[in-house]
Amino acid sequence: MIKKIGVFTSGGDAPGMNACIRAVVRTAIYHNIEVVGIMRGYEGMINGEFIHLETESVANIIQRGGTILKTARSKDFMTPEGRKKAYDQLKANGIDAIVAIGGNGTFTGAAVFEKEYGIPAIGIPGTIDNDLLGTDFTIGFDTAINTVVDAVDAIRDTAESHDRLFLVEVMGRDSGQIAMASGIGSGAEAILMPEVKGDAEELFERLAKGTRKKSSKIVIVAEGDEAGGAFGLAERVKERFPNYDTRVSVLGHIQRGGSPTCHDRMLASQLGFTAVEALLQGKKGAMVGIINQEVVYTPFSEAIKDTSSKLNPNVLRMIEILSS
Amino acid sequence: MIKKIGVFTSGGDAPGMNACIRAVVRTAIYHNIEVVGIMRGYEGMINGEFIHLETESVANIIQRGGTILKTARSKDFMTPEGRKKAYDQLKANGIDAIVAIGGNGTFTGAAVFEKEYGIPAIGIPGTIDNDLLGTDFTIGFDTAINTVVDAVDAIRDTAESHDRLFLVEVMGRDSGQIAMASGIGSGAEAILMPEVKGDAEELFERLAKGTRKKSSKIVIVAEGDEAGGAFGLAERVKERFPNYDTRVSVLGHIQRGGSPTCHDRMLASQLGFTAVEALLQGKKGAMVGIINQEVVYTPFSEAIKDTSSKLNPNVLRMIEILSS
Amino acid sequence: MIKKIGVFTSGGDAPGMNACIRAVVRTAIYHNIEVVGIMRGYEGMINGEFIHLETESVANIIQRGGTILKTARSKDFMTPEGRKKAYDQLKANGIDAIVAIGGNGTFTGAAVFEKEYGIPAIGIPGTIDNDLLGTDFTIGFDTAINTVVDAVDAIRDTAESHDRLFLVEVMGRDSGQIAMASGIGSGAEAILMPEVKGDAEELFERLAKGTRKKSSKIVIVAEGDEAGGAFGLAERVKERFPNYDTRVSVLGHIQRGGSPTCHDRMLASQLGFTAVEALLQGKKGAMVGIINQEVVYTPFSEAIKDTSSKLNPNVLRMIEILSS
Amino acid sequence: MIKKIGVFTSGGDAPGMNACIRAVVRTAIYHNIEVVGIMRGYEGMINGEFIHLETESVANIIQRGGTILKTARSKDFMTPEGRKKAYDQLKANGIDAIVAIGGNGTFTGAAVFEKEYGIPAIGIPGTIDNDLLGTDFTIGFDTAINTVVDAVDAIRDTAESHDRLFLVEVMGRDSGQIAMASGIGSGAEAILMPEVKGDAEELFERLAKGTRKKSSKIVIVAEGDEAGGAFGLAERVKERFPNYDTRVSVLGHIQRGGSPTCHDRMLASQLGFTAVEALLQGKKGAMVGIINQEVVYTPFSEAIKDTSSKLNPNVLRMIEILSS
């Protein structure tokens, strides 16, 4: 029977992680389970950086960006020796089960660890990238796309005033999820995503057809697009369309921060709450997610598979029509 | 065959209505359909306040709150004479079909009108209240709950500094949708909704049990709660718990305004886009919505039915546990 | 020689108080002075609620609304017995001097206390009301007026959509400072302030002259205006101008919260920094302020005098011209 | 006697320009002066891109970023031929006087033009850079520093979660005004400005002294700092302090956009209002500014001089103490 749960955040931080930690802690305490915060993800697990958490420890954090448990990427945990140390630390501290909040790397680690040592683990999708199967949305995604949309609204002010073409780079090394959502939301004239091949050429065609009217244009580019991000694209645009006043804006790390949106706080609360109850019901080895408003459990190995299927082709057609 | 569409907004305004108008206009033009904006809802339809809309007319409005077509409630349209006039105006202007963006009252009117005069109509759920069947979310709801959460974050600053009990009233005459979502998102200690009977008594019990520790509390109250909104509740709280420093904040009309969130802009774009294509495919007499990420058509008469079923009882249990 | 300073916040909380506490603490530590936080203002001074503060204690608080030292109004401190207790507590804890962050009431108390017991005190103007002499701006004022302007921007969305007349009540029991600044900033059609007599009648005249065109209007009303705040005014407007669709919005406590603006953080930093150095230079019995970018010291008794002189009559003329 | 005024925005756009245009237009109309908007600055003046402006033309723009008159930099206006054309256009359209909203380049052009053709001109400082003499603040500066502070608050979330050193580049090719204000406001650990030589070395010393505790640091770098902006600095930091997890964030064009703050709207309103009245009183050849809350006129040639004197050395000392 589970008496003590360890919770940690790992990989890139995402707004809503604190709301999730709060839910895990309070649900566990409600069920008379002790909760320990593991600092800095797997790194802190190996080093035994554990802190005791109470109801009060997580008061007034639901609105905070970042993660009070901090986060890191751990090379040591990729080695059998590192995982052995981590296991020993958990045992020595009486931790029976873990809740892992993070993304791809986090769940890859959790899967191997559970296989080797059998400590029950439930994963929670916490990443701004929305690049996991087994959940409609990951924690932090909604905040990130709103941050992008706010930034593009500001950029459009200046683009309009100068009749400029702006290439705005957003996060997404392998996934166009942020690009697509924020592109629709900001009324972008085009959206370039890693999953779509030849989208730069398509943009060039549209620019070529368009007689250069005096008016601004916004193009959203995912950092992982084959065009080479916004700077790579800008070079080619400037060469072929010297009459455009082309500018680049790389939004960068502001996309990870800020107070989470209501949606992310609700999602984080629900997933944290559910993860603890799932562990108590004997579930393990899976990520908990919400699909079509229902709780779903997906084995770690499935959750981290290729997510290009998450892009809806109908939406791509809509984008083209609306940005006319 | 449809050659000219009229689009209007009606009832209370909601953030995202402009994004929706933009999508309707551009999708229609893409399909070589003419689009006319009908000002002030049914009132303008009766008075023939029509404006021609082009692609450029809806440029740079996706981020704007309110509605460029303005909105109103029309008493005249509730009379057969009023509707006759409205029909004559549409005919005289060659309008073959209408897209109605609004809520309960809007669709009630659309249903009667279509029955009487047979002009095809597609409705789009645009109301901050999220009190319609046939769609997971209405346009404006996501923005409204984020506005509330931001306001409560600010109120919590001052509540914490003074160890106060704040009763925050949010919109929702018949529906607790805004109260519930924003209550979870703001980590409220309790949420009072019209759909839940006896929730004030439950709150009193919890306050009575709790030894008055020095610490702040936030209670979210829907305006339509049987307790009589925040002021009604405050009277009873002050009488029974004079040791609390109790304050009331009625958020009011700020909940309707502001730039729409990314989610509301996406939803509005998709529904506006779909509504026009639905009309072209011969659909009518229905509201278009999104349920579980799929487009769904719901007859007007169904869409406006009682929505108390939209409250998830599991979520109520979670709220109690997390607010401990 | 001063070895230990006590710092506290008192009266209504204001955004920027935490930035000020941070500056006091770090400046004191830089000068090898110990710093003690006195919780809940004079109340905590009487009860000996003291906490030791380090550089780390004030890390990451510059952006937070409210006050980590909490605040309260103290009846006990108005009595000689209360002040005696407070003095004994300070003595017992070796506190040689105090920094008092607050407004009118705070400085009234500090003046009496210093006179009776001779403990050096420097005051810092921390109140959203900007109703103190001896400083151009008080800490929190800039944040408050931006909060109001953001709220009115949102309200204007809905006012425009419905062609409504909105009466928006802002804080200011005796002072029109918030009303005037936010009224200009939000492009209000009229601004009603306690310092200006007969302003309601003036508004009525303008409404009477104006043929009722379909268009929205925003009127900002200070809560202390003789018209009886927004509700009082609304009654009279509705009676005399029934053709207007008149609505009331009382912004309330959101005006006290939220993350401080850059200006308030800078002002708070500079005043906290200066207050400590002033104490070390032997200054006391005065509030530190900034007038025309210069540090100024004003005796407590002067600082709390009538501030209606702070209203600039030229600005009133401008408002009328611009709101045409 | 002046009968018709032309108003334009020129150079980089700045939030608050629209509020300023609104004030110019309404004040002119109040005085029965006609107002013409000149599109795209001097470029539009040369090309005769003039639009008639009414009270209604500037309704509901006080809150909008950018400039409805658009802006550009004009090479043609630097030639005598260009200025001749511009003069002819003004004459042909009966424009007797101009209000020029912009920065250095704008006023350089205005000074030459006035000398050559004698058309009365009043300048208004509209630039986010705050790099003009003759005014405490330029229009847009307050908004820009708040945008930076918001962004750094978000970046600090992620910096804290990962214990990173962030080098954040802000605008300011020749001026550290934005860097300094936003650096204080965001509680940055160091601020690098073009006006201060050797500041990179100072930073290195502090980093060298500090034993690398696990904790985040934020350094604000003006783009024009001798270190070569944030990327230039990062190279040197990474070389000398490989144990830091160093990241770069270039905020870029978001600093120009967004809804203006209350302060910028008030400043813009007052300056626009004053500029028109100044022209009517026969003033010309000068920029209007506010110093210590008083209106001040500064000849164009003075306003554009070196502004490094605007950096307050006492503030630099404070920054070092508070960032300890």
Side-chain angles (χ1 to χ4, degrees):
Chain A
M1 224 194 69
I2 293 171
K3 290 189 182 156
K4 202 194 254 186
I5 286 177
V7 59
F8 63 92
T9 49
S10 166
D13 63 314
M17 281 183 160
N18 282 327
C20 191
I21 294 166
R22 170 181 177 268
V24 167
V25 170
R26 295 201 167 168
T27 307
I29 288 171
Y30 174 83
H31 289 293
N32 295 311
I33 310 291
E34 212 179 316
V35 205
V36 163
I38 302 171
M39 301 299 294
R40 277 170 253 279
Y42 294 118
E43 200 68 19
M45 195 188 287
I46 291 172
N47 299 329
E49 292 185 76
F50 301 146
I51 56 168
H52 180 72
L53 293 172
E54 289 286 356
T55 292
E56 278 306 297
S57 322
V58 293
N60 220 3
I61 66 168
I62 196 172
Q63 78 275 32
R64 303 256 160 86
T67 158
I68 59 165
L69 299 180
K70 302 210 169 184
T71 180
R73 296 177 205 272
S74 172
K75 282 184 194 165
D76 285 350
F77 197 76
M78 294 180 189
T79 66
E81 296 74 30
R83 292 192 295 273
K84 176 71 171 62
K85 273 191 209 162
Y87 174 73
D88 291 343
Q89 292 279 13
L90 294 181
K91 273 288 119 178
N93 285 274
I95 297 171
D96 307 313
I98 54 178
V99 174
I101 308 169
N104 274 303
T106 311
F107 299 155
T108 306
V112 175
F113 191 56
E114 197 176 67
K115 211 172 168 186
E116 289 177 351
Y117 295 102
I119 294 206
I122 290 288
I124 298 179
T127 162
I128 62 167
D129 293 327
N130 203 25
D131 60 347
L132 291 165
L133 293 183
T135 195
D136 288 337
F137 301 107
T138 55
I139 297 168
F141 176 67
D142 188 62
T143 306
I145 59 178
N146 276 291
T147 301
V148 172
V149 160
D150 286 353
V152 176
D153 283 355
I155 288 171
R156 198 179 279 281
D157 284 344
T158 193
E160 281 283 313
S161 299
H162 289 272
D163 292 323
R164 281 175 177 159
L165 167 62
F166 261 93
L167 311 179
V168 181
E169 183 177 305
V170 302
M171 284 190 172
R173 231 162 286 176
D174 307 300
S175 158
Q177 289 282 321
I178 291 178
M180 191 165 79
S182 63
I184 298 170
S186 56
E189 274 71 27
I191 304 173
L192 273 61
M193 296 173 279
E195 295 93 335
V196 181
K197 299 305 161 200
D199 46 10
E201 281 68 32
E202 235 174 84
L203 170 65
F204 297 155
E205 273 172 47
R206 290 179 59 186
L207 292 178
K209 262 188 272 180
T211 56
R212 169 63 172 143
K213 291 181 297 185
K214 291 249 169 183
S215 92
S216 70
K217 291 197 188 322
I218 304 276
V219 174
I220 303 287
V221 193
E223 61 180 325
D225 187 77
E226 52 179 353
F231 281 110
L233 183 66
E235 268 182 47
R236 294 166 65 187
V237 169
K238 284 178 184 171
E239 205 184 293
R240 295 188 46 169
F241 303 95
N243 58 329
Y244 276 97
D245 186 4
T246 305
R247 302 291 164 118
V248 166
S249 183
V250 177
L251 296 187
H253 292 87
I254 56 168
Q255 294 167 82
R256 293 203 176 284
S259 183
T261 59
C262 188
H263 177 276
D264 271 333
R265 298 182 194 192
M266 288 194 287
L267 177 64
S269 297
Q270 195 177 353
L271 292 179
F273 170 74
T274 307
V276 171
E277 301 214 325
L279 278 174
L280 297 184
Q281 291 156 16
K283 292 209 173 57
K284 58 180 185 169
M287 184 194 88
V288 60
I290 309 281
I291 295 183
N292 293 343
Q293 310 192 55
E294 298 287 338
V295 171
V296 174
Y297 298 91
T298 306
F300 286 134
S301 54
E302 290 297 313
I304 60 181
K305 284 193 176 159
D306 176 61
T307 57
S308 51
S309 61
K310 278 180 123 176
L311 280 192
N312 186 337
N314 281 332
V315 169
L316 297 178
R317 192 175 139 254
M318 177 184 83
I319 292 166
E320 207 189 313
I321 292 176
L322 297 193
S323 67
S324 63
Chain B
M1 224 197 68
I2 293 170
K3 289 191 185 157
K4 202 194 255 188
I5 286 178
V7 58
F8 62 93
T9 49
S10 166
D13 62 313
M17 280 182 160
N18 282 328
C20 190
I21 294 165
R22 170 181 178 268
V24 167
V25 170
R26 297 202 166 168
T27 306
I29 289 172
Y30 174 83
H31 289 294
N32 294 313
I33 310 292
E34 212 180 318
V35 205
V36 163
I38 302 169
M39 301 300 293
R40 279 170 252 277
Y42 294 117
E43 200 67 19
M45 196 187 290
I46 292 171
N47 299 329
E49 294 184 74
F50 301 146
I51 57 168
H52 179 71
L53 293 172
E54 288 288 355
T55 292
E56 278 306 297
S57 323
V58 293
N60 219 4
I61 66 167
I62 195 172
Q63 78 277 30
R64 302 256 160 87
T67 158
I68 60 165
L69 298 180
K70 301 213 172 185
T71 180
R73 295 175 206 274
S74 171
K75 280 185 194 165
D76 285 349
F77 197 76
M78 294 180 190
T79 67
E81 295 74 29
R83 291 193 294 275
K84 176 70 171 61
K85 274 191 211 163
Y87 173 73
D88 291 343
Q89 291 279 13
L90 294 181
K91 272 287 118 178
N93 285 275
I95 297 172
D96 309 311
I98 54 177
V99 173
I101 309 170
N104 274 302
T106 312
F107 299 155
T108 306
V112 175
F113 191 56
E114 198 177 67
K115 211 171 165 184
E116 290 177 350
Y117 294 101
I119 294 209
I122 290 287
I124 298 180
T127 161
I128 62 168
D129 292 329
N130 203 25
D131 59 348
L132 292 165
L133 293 183
T135 195
D136 289 336
F137 301 107
T138 54
I139 297 168
F141 176 66
D142 189 61
T143 306
I145 59 176
N146 276 291
T147 302
V148 172
V149 159
D150 285 352
V152 176
D153 283 355
I155 289 172
R156 196 178 280 282
D157 285 344
T158 193
E160 281 283 312
S161 299
H162 288 273
D163 292 323
R164 281 174 177 159
L165 168 62
F166 260 93
L167 311 179
V168 181
E169 183 177 304
V170 302
M171 283 190 170
R173 232 162 284 176
D174 307 301
S175 157
Q177 288 283 322
I178 291 178
M180 192 165 79
S182 64
I184 298 170
S186 56
E189 274 70 26
I191 305 172
L192 273 61
M193 295 173 280
E195 295 93 335
V196 181
K197 299 304 161 199
D199 47 8
E201 283 67 33
E202 234 173 82
L203 170 66
F204 297 156
E205 272 173 46
R206 289 179 59 187
L207 291 178
K209 260 190 272 178
T211 55
R212 168 62 171 143
K213 289 181 298 183
K214 291 249 171 183
S215 92
S216 71
K217 290 197 190 322
I218 304 277
V219 173
I220 304 288
V221 194
E223 60 180 328
D225 187 77
E226 51 178 354
F231 281 110
L233 183 65
E235 269 182 45
R236 293 166 66 189
V237 169
K238 284 178 184 169
E239 203 184 295
R240 294 189 47 171
F241 303 95
N243 57 329
Y244 276 97
D245 186 4
T246 305
R247 303 291 165 117
V248 165
S249 183
V250 177
L251 295 187
H253 292 86
I254 57 168
Q255 293 167 82
R256 290 205 179 282
S259 183
T261 59
C262 188
H263 178 275
D264 272 333
R265 299 183 193 190
M266 287 193 287
L267 177 64
S269 298
Q270 196 177 352
L271 291 179
F273 170 75
T274 307
V276 172
E277 302 215 324
L279 279 173
L280 297 184
Q281 290 156 15
K283 293 208 172 60
K284 57 179 185 169
M287 183 194 87
V288 60
I290 308 282
I291 296 183
N292 294 343
Q293 311 191 53
E294 298 288 337
V295 171
V296 175
Y297 298 92
T298 306
F300 287 135
S301 54
E302 291 296 312
I304 60 180
K305 284 195 176 158
D306 176 60
T307 57
S308 51
S309 62
K310 276 179 125 177
L311 280 192
N312 185 337
N314 282 331
V315 169
L316 298 178
R317 194 175 137 253
M318 178 185 82
I319 292 167
E320 207 190 313
I321 292 176
L322 297 194
S323 67
S324 63
Chain C
M1 225 195 69
I2 294 171
K3 289 189 183 157
K4 202 193 256 188
I5 286 177
V7 58
F8 63 92
T9 50
S10 165
D13 63 314
M17 281 183 160
N18 282 327
C20 190
I21 294 165
R22 171 180 176 269
V24 167
V25 170
R26 295 201 166 168
T27 307
I29 288 171
Y30 174 83
H31 288 294
N32 295 312
I33 309 291
E34 212 178 317
V35 205
V36 163
I38 303 171
M39 300 300 293
R40 277 170 253 277
Y42 293 119
E43 200 67 19
M45 196 188 287
I46 291 172
N47 299 329
E49 291 185 76
F50 301 146
I51 57 166
H52 179 72
L53 293 172
E54 288 287 355
T55 292
E56 278 305 297
S57 323
V58 293
N60 220 3
I61 66 167
I62 196 172
Q63 77 276 33
R64 302 257 160 86
T67 158
I68 59 165
L69 299 180
K70 302 210 169 185
T71 179
R73 297 177 204 271
S74 172
K75 282 185 193 164
D76 285 349
F77 197 76
M78 293 181 188
T79 67
E81 296 73 29
R83 292 193 294 274
K84 176 69 170 62
K85 272 192 212 163
Y87 174 72
D88 292 344
Q89 291 279 14
L90 294 181
K91 272 289 117 178
N93 285 274
I95 296 171
D96 308 313
I98 54 178
V99 174
I101 308 168
N104 275 302
T106 311
F107 299 156
T108 306
V112 175
F113 191 57
E114 196 176 69
K115 209 172 169 186
E116 288 176 353
Y117 295 102
I119 293 206
I122 290 288
I124 297 178
T127 161
I128 62 168
D129 293 329
N130 203 25
D131 59 348
L132 292 165
L133 293 182
T135 195
D136 289 336
F137 301 106
T138 55
I139 298 168
F141 176 65
D142 189 61
T143 306
I145 59 177
N146 276 292
T147 301
V148 172
V149 160
D150 285 352
V152 176
D153 283 355
I155 288 171
R156 197 178 280 282
D157 284 343
T158 192
E160 281 283 314
S161 300
H162 289 273
D163 291 323
R164 281 176 176 157
L165 168 61
F166 260 94
L167 310 178
V168 180
E169 183 177 305
V170 302
M171 283 190 170
R173 231 162 286 177
D174 307 301
S175 158
Q177 289 282 320
I178 290 178
M180 192 165 80
S182 64
I184 299 169
S186 55
E189 274 71 27
I191 305 173
L192 274 61
M193 296 173 279
E195 295 93 334
V196 181
K197 300 304 160 202
D199 47 9
E201 282 67 32
E202 234 173 84
L203 170 66
F204 297 156
E205 273 174 45
R206 290 179 58 188
L207 291 179
K209 258 187 274 179
T211 57
R212 169 63 171 142
K213 289 181 298 184
K214 290 248 168 183
S215 91
S216 71
K217 291 196 188 323
I218 304 277
V219 174
I220 304 287
V221 193
E223 62 180 323
D225 187 78
E226 53 179 353
F231 281 109
L233 183 65
E235 270 182 45
R236 293 166 66 188
V237 169
K238 284 178 186 172
E239 204 184 292
R240 294 188 48 170
F241 303 95
N243 57 330
Y244 276 97
D245 185 5
T246 305
R247 302 291 164 118
V248 165
S249 182
V250 177
L251 295 187
H253 292 87
I254 57 167
Q255 294 167 80
R256 291 203 177 284
S259 183
T261 59
C262 189
H263 178 276
D264 272 333
R265 298 183 194 191
M266 287 194 288
L267 177 65
S269 297
Q270 195 177 352
L271 292 179
F273 170 74
T274 307
V276 172
E277 301 214 325
L279 279 173
L280 297 184
Q281 290 157 15
K283 293 209 173 58
K284 57 180 185 169
M287 184 195 85
V288 59
I290 308 281
I291 295 184
N292 294 342
Q293 310 190 55
E294 298 288 336
V295 171
V296 174
Y297 297 92
T298 306
F300 286 134
S301 53
E302 291 296 313
I304 60 181
K305 283 192 176 159
D306 176 60
T307 57
S308 50
S309 62
K310 277 180 122 176
L311 280 194
N312 186 336
N314 281 331
V315 170
L316 298 178
R317 193 176 138 254
M318 177 184 81
I319 292 167
E320 208 190 312
I321 292 175
L322 298 194
S323 67
S324 63
Chain D
M1 224 196 69
I2 294 170
K3 289 190 182 156
K4 202 194 257 187
I5 287 177
V7 58
F8 63 92
T9 50
S10 165
D13 63 314
M17 280 181 160
N18 282 328
C20 190
I21 294 165
R22 170 180 177 268
V24 167
V25 171
R26 296 203 166 168
T27 307
I29 289 172
Y30 173 83
H31 289 292
N32 295 313
I33 309 291
E34 211 178 319
V35 206
V36 163
I38 303 170
M39 299 301 292
R40 279 170 253 278
Y42 294 117
E43 200 66 20
M45 196 187 288
I46 291 171
N47 299 329
E49 292 184 76
F50 302 146
I51 57 169
H52 180 71
L53 293 172
E54 287 288 355
T55 292
E56 278 307 297
S57 324
V58 293
N60 219 4
I61 67 167
I62 195 173
Q63 78 276 31
R64 302 257 161 88
T67 158
I68 60 165
L69 299 179
K70 302 213 170 183
T71 180
R73 296 176 206 273
S74 171
K75 279 183 195 166
D76 285 349
F77 198 76
M78 293 179 189
T79 67
E81 295 73 30
R83 291 193 295 274
K84 176 70 170 59
K85 274 191 212 164
Y87 173 74
D88 291 343
Q89 293 279 15
L90 294 180
K91 273 288 118 180
N93 285 275
I95 297 171
D96 309 312
I98 54 177
V99 174
I101 309 170
N104 274 301
T106 311
F107 299 156
T108 305
V112 175
F113 191 57
E114 197 176 68
K115 212 172 165 183
E116 290 177 351
Y117 295 101
I119 295 208
I122 290 287
I124 298 180
T127 160
I128 62 168
D129 292 329
N130 202 25
D131 60 347
L132 291 165
L133 293 182
T135 195
D136 289 337
F137 301 106
T138 54
I139 297 168
F141 177 66
D142 189 61
T143 306
I145 59 177
N146 276 291
T147 302
V148 173
V149 159
D150 286 352
V152 177
D153 283 356
I155 289 171
R156 198 178 280 282
D157 284 344
T158 192
E160 281 282 315
S161 299
H162 289 273
D163 293 323
R164 281 175 176 158
L165 167 62
F166 260 93
L167 311 179
V168 181
E169 183 176 305
V170 301
M171 282 190 171
R173 229 161 288 175
D174 307 301
S175 157
Q177 289 283 321
I178 291 178
M180 192 165 80
S182 63
I184 298 170
S186 56
E189 274 71 26
I191 304 173
L192 273 61
M193 296 173 280
E195 296 93 334
V196 181
K197 299 303 161 201
D199 47 8
E201 282 68 33
E202 235 174 81
L203 170 66
F204 298 155
E205 273 173 45
R206 288 178 61 186
L207 291 179
K209 260 189 271 180
T211 56
R212 168 63 171 143
K213 289 181 299 183
K214 291 249 169 181
S215 91
S216 70
K217 291 196 189 323
I218 304 278
V219 173
I220 304 288
V221 194
E223 61 181 325
D225 187 77
E226 52 178 353
F231 281 110
L233 184 65
E235 269 182 46
R236 293 165 66 187
V237 169
K238 283 178 185 171
E239 202 184 295
R240 294 189 46 171
F241 303 94
N243 57 328
Y244 276 97
D245 185 5
T246 305
R247 303 290 165 118
V248 165
S249 182
V250 177
L251 295 187
H253 292 86
I254 57 168
Q255 294 168 81
R256 292 205 177 280
S259 183
T261 59
C262 188
H263 177 275
D264 272 333
R265 298 183 194 191
M266 287 194 289
L267 177 65
S269 297
Q270 196 177 352
L271 292 179
F273 170 76
T274 307
V276 172
E277 301 215 324
L279 279 174
L280 297 185
Q281 291 156 15
K283 292 207 173 59
K284 57 178 185 168
M287 183 195 86
V288 59
I290 308 282
I291 295 184
N292 293 343
Q293 310 191 53
E294 298 288 338
V295 170
V296 174
Y297 297 92
T298 306
F300 287 135
S301 54
E302 290 296 313
I304 61 180
K305 283 193 176 159
D306 175 62
T307 57
S308 51
S309 62
K310 276 180 124 177
L311 279 192
N312 185 336
N314 281 332
V315 170
L316 297 178
R317 194 175 138 254
M318 177 185 82
I319 292 167
E320 208 190 313
I321 291 175
L322 297 194
S323 67
S324 61

